[in-house]
C-alpha cells in the first residue's frame, strides 16, 4: 500500500483521504487564530469559575493533541510538496494507530464541551478529567520509580477546591473510559457508535500485533501448502480501516474545534471555512 498518488487506492478512498487532510489542517489554522477565549464568552466564564486550571486550556489541549497525531498522517499521505521520484510507503498499522490517537484525544475534548448548558456543568466534567489525568501521572511516576508527592498533593488540592466551591461533584468521580468516550463522541457528531467502537478496538489490535487484526484488516490470498495444513499467503491491507478511523477522528475533531471556537466567542464556522480556503491555496494542484 503506497501513497494515494500511485493509484493503488480507489478514487473514492483517495478523495476521502484528501478531504480528511483538509479538515485537519483547517482545524489547526483555525485554532491558531483564536488562542484565548474572549472575556465575555462562555468559556471565559467557565475559566473564572475554576481559575486554577482553565477549562479553555485543557479542552483546547485535547484538540491540539488530536491535530498533532492527524497532521503526521496528513503530512505523510498528502504533503504540500512531493519530490518527483519519491514513493511514500503507507505503513498500515501505524496509520491506523494515528487515527485511533486522534479519535481518543478529540473525544475527550468533545465530551468536555458537548451537551453542557451551563459553564458549571463544563467545570464539573473538567474536574473529573483533571483528577483522572493526575491519577495516570501518579501511576506512571510509580512505574518509573519516581516520587509521587507532588502529584498526590495536586490531587488533594483539586478535591479540596471542588468542595470549597460547592460545584456539586467530586473530582474522584471517574469520567467515561476511552471506549465510552468514543461512543459518546459518535453520538454527539452523528457517527455510528458501534462501528467506531469496533474500529477503536481494531486499532488497538493493530498496535499490539494481535493476530485477529491480521484476519480482519487484510485481504488474504492463499498460496502453496508448504506443510500439511500450513499455507503461504499474500496479505493486502484493507484501506477501509485507515479511511474510516481517520474520518471518525477528523469528524470529532472538526466538531470539537468549531464548538470550542463558538464557546470562546468566535465565529467558528467562518474561521474554519477561511482556514480550509488557505489550505487549498497551498495544496498542489493537478495541471
Amino acid at each position: 500500500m503506497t501513497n494515494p498518488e500511485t493509484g493503488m487506492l480507489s478514487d473514492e478512498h483517495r478523495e476521502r483521504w484528501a478531504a480528511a487532510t483538509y479538515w485537519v489542517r483547517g482545524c489547526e489554522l483555525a485554532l491558531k487564530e483564536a488562542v484565548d477565549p474572549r472575556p465575555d464568552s462562555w468559556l471565559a466564564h467557565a475559566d473564572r469559575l475554576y481559575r486554577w486550571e482553565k477549562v479553555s486550556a485543557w479542552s483546547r489541549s485535547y484538540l491540539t493533541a488530536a491535530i498533532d497525531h492527524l497532521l503526521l498522517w496528513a503530512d505523510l499521505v498528502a504533503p504540500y510538496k512531493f519530490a518527483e521520484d519519491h514513493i511514500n510507503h503507507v505503513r498500515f498499522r501505524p496509520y491506523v494507530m494515528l487515527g485511533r490517537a486522534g479519535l481518543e484525544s478529540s473525544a475527550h475534548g468533545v465530551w468536555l464541551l458537548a451537551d453542557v448548558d451551563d459553564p458549571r456543568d463544563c467545570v464539573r466534567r473538567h474536574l473529573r478529567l483533571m483528577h483522572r489525568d493526575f491519577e495516570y501521572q501518579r501511576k506512571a511516576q510509580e512505574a518509573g520509580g519516581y516520587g509521587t508527592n507532588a502529584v498526590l498533593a495536586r490531587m488533594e488540592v483539586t478535591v479540596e477546591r471542588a468542595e470549597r466551591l460547592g460545584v456539586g461533584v467530586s473530582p474522584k468521580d471517574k469520567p467515561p473510559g476511552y471506549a465510552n468516550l468514543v461512543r459518546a463522541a459518535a453520538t454527539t457528531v452523528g457517527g455510528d457508535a458501534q462501528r467506531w467502537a469496533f474500529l477503536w478496538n481494531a486499532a488497538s489490535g493493530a498496535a499490539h500485533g494481535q493476530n485477529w487484526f491480521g484476519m480482519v484488516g487484510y485481504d488474504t490470498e492463499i498460496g502453496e501448502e508448504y506443510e500439511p495444513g500450513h499455507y503461504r499467503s499474500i496479505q493486502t491491507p484493507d484501506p477501509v480501516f485507515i479511511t474510516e478511523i481517520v474520518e471518525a477522528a477528523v469528524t470529532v475533531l472538526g466538531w470539537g474545534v468549531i464548538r470550542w471556537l463558538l464557546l470562546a466567542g468566535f465565529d467558528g464556522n467562518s474561521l474554519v471555512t477561511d482556514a480550509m480556503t488557505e489550505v487549498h491555496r497551498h495544496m498542489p494542484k493537478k495541471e
Side-chain angles (χ1 to χ4, degrees):
M1 193 177 190
T2 60
N3 186 277
E5 293 302 318
T6 65
M8 291 188 69
L9 288 178
S10 68
D11 289 343
E12 177 197 355
H13 282 285
R14 285 202 300 273
E15 290 171 3
R16 290 164 72 179
W17 284 27
T21 65
Y22 269 75
W23 266 104
V24 178
R25 289 172 172 144
C27 285
E28 181 195 32
L29 292 179
L31 277 184
K32 284 183 177 179
E33 293 297 315
V35 177
D36 297 310
R38 288 177 170 162
D40 58 345
S41 68
W42 195 95
L43 271 176
H45 183 38
D47 288 346
R48 288 190 292 271
L49 288 172
Y50 191 85
R51 66 183 185 277
W52 296 276
E53 282 96 4
K54 293 183 176 183
V55 171
S56 63
W58 276 65
S59 55
R60 183 190 179 92
S61 72
Y62 290 125
L63 300 173
T64 55
I67 288 170
D68 280 348
H69 297 305
L70 295 168
L71 270 182
L72 175 57
W73 173 81
D75 289 343
L76 287 169
V77 303
Y80 281 131
K81 290 185 179 180
F82 267 116
E84 289 186 8
D85 59 347
H86 179 68
I87 296 176
N88 182 13
H89 293 283
V90 175
R91 305 302 179 186
F92 187 37
R93 289 182 177 88
Y95 282 22
V96 172
M97 271 306 298
L98 288 171
R100 170 176 160 147
L103 179 56
E104 287 176 347
S105 300
S106 54
H108 279 73
V110 166
W111 183 76
L112 188 51
L113 300 174
D115 304 321
V116 284
D117 299 321
D118 188 307
R120 289 171 293 187
D121 294 331
C122 195
V123 168
R124 294 182 184 107
R125 293 187 181 188
H126 174 52
L127 288 167
R128 294 166 65 193
L129 284 176
M130 278 176 49
H131 197 273
R132 187 173 68 178
D133 193 277
F134 299 153
E135 178 65 17
Y136 287 147
Q137 183 183 0
R138 181 192 66 78
K139 290 180 179 179
Q141 296 283 109
E142 286 183 350
Y146 305 114
T148 59
N149 288 342
V151 68
L152 287 172
R154 202 173 181 190
M155 293 168 75
E156 291 176 4
V157 167
T158 301
V159 173
E160 291 170 1
R161 286 170 177 164
E163 291 175 348
R164 192 163 63 248
L165 291 173
V167 296
V169 68
S170 170
K172 294 181 181 180
D173 293 343
K174 292 184 179 181
Y178 280 52
N180 284 332
L181 283 174
V182 168
R183 289 179 178 274
T187 300
T188 297
V189 306
D192 184 334
Q194 284 187 300
R195 177 64 178 174
W196 287 17
F198 168 76
L199 292 169
W200 180 83
N201 280 285
S204 178
H208 300 152
Q210 293 170 0
N211 185 264
W212 76 271
F213 181 76
M215 303 296 289
V216 303
Y218 295 79
D219 296 324
T220 303
E221 181 180 341
I222 302 299
E224 65 172 318
E225 185 178 16
Y226 66 95
E227 288 181 9
H230 296 273
Y231 298 85
R232 302 295 182 194
S233 63
I234 297 174
Q235 288 190 308
T236 304
D238 183 351
V240 72
F241 281 88
I242 294 176
T243 303
E244 288 194 19
I245 198 164
V246 168
E247 282 183 336
V250 167
T251 301
V252 177
L253 173 64
W255 192 98
V257 166
I258 292 173
R259 174 73 167 170
W260 190 94
L261 291 168
L262 291 172
L263 294 181
F266 298 91
D267 185 342
N269 289 299
S270 178
L271 281 176
V272 170
T273 298
D274 290 345
M276 298 273 271
T277 302
E278 182 66 12
V279 172
H280 178 73
R281 190 172 70 84
H282 289 282
M283 289 295 290
K285 311 295 191 300
K286 292 183 179 181
E287 295 295 335

